[in-house]
């Protein structure tokens, strides 16, 4: 039986232990990050995003962004534009993910 699938890409921004000095203050970095996400949403590329935290608030990475992209290469290029990654404050990892869902 065939199940519906959608090819997506999970972009994980990972904290760096000793990043170089940030080119902007924390408020400006956060604003640029949120503008980046809003732009992806406006272009219908953003499937979902959020901080990588557990129920206690402990961080397990910087964040997770799920992208709609035409290819792995495009997803990596989009991830590289994220401000924290672009300014080397976080490392990036992109994982292809096939979203599958089941009928009732």
């Amino acid at each position: 039986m065939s199940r519906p699938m959608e090819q997506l890409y999970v972009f994980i921004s990972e904290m760096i232990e000793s990043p170089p000095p940030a080119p902007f203050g924390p408020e400006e970095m956060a604003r640029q990050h949120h503008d980046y996400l809003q732009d992806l949403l406006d272009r219908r590329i953003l499937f979902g995003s959020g901080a990588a935290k557990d129920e206690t608030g402990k961080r397990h990475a910087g964040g997770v962004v799920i992208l709609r992209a035409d290819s792995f290469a495009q997803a990596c290029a989009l991830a590289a534009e994220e401000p924290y990654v672009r300014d080397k404050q976080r490392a990036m990892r992109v994982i292809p993910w096939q979203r599958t869902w089941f009928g009732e």
Side-chain angles (χ1 to χ4, degrees), residues 13-75:
S13 69
E14 299 180 302
M15 307 302 276
I16 296 175
E17 190 170 319
S18 297
F24 306 104
E27 295 83 14
E28 178 61 19
M29 288 299 295
R31 186 195 64 74
Q32 288 186 21
H33 170 72
H34 293 132
D35 288 350
Y36 162 84
L37 293 174
Q38 185 64 54
D39 177 63
L40 293 178
L41 181 65
D42 293 346
R43 294 190 294 156
R44 303 189 62 138
I45 294 170
L46 180 66
F47 180 80
S49 66
K53 295 180 181 180
D54 65 22
E55 64 280 356
T56 69
K58 178 184 174 198
R59 279 200 177 265
H60 292 268
V64 176
V65 178
I66 302 174
L67 303 168
R68 292 182 175 99
D70 294 330
S71 66
F72 181 73
Q74 182 189 35

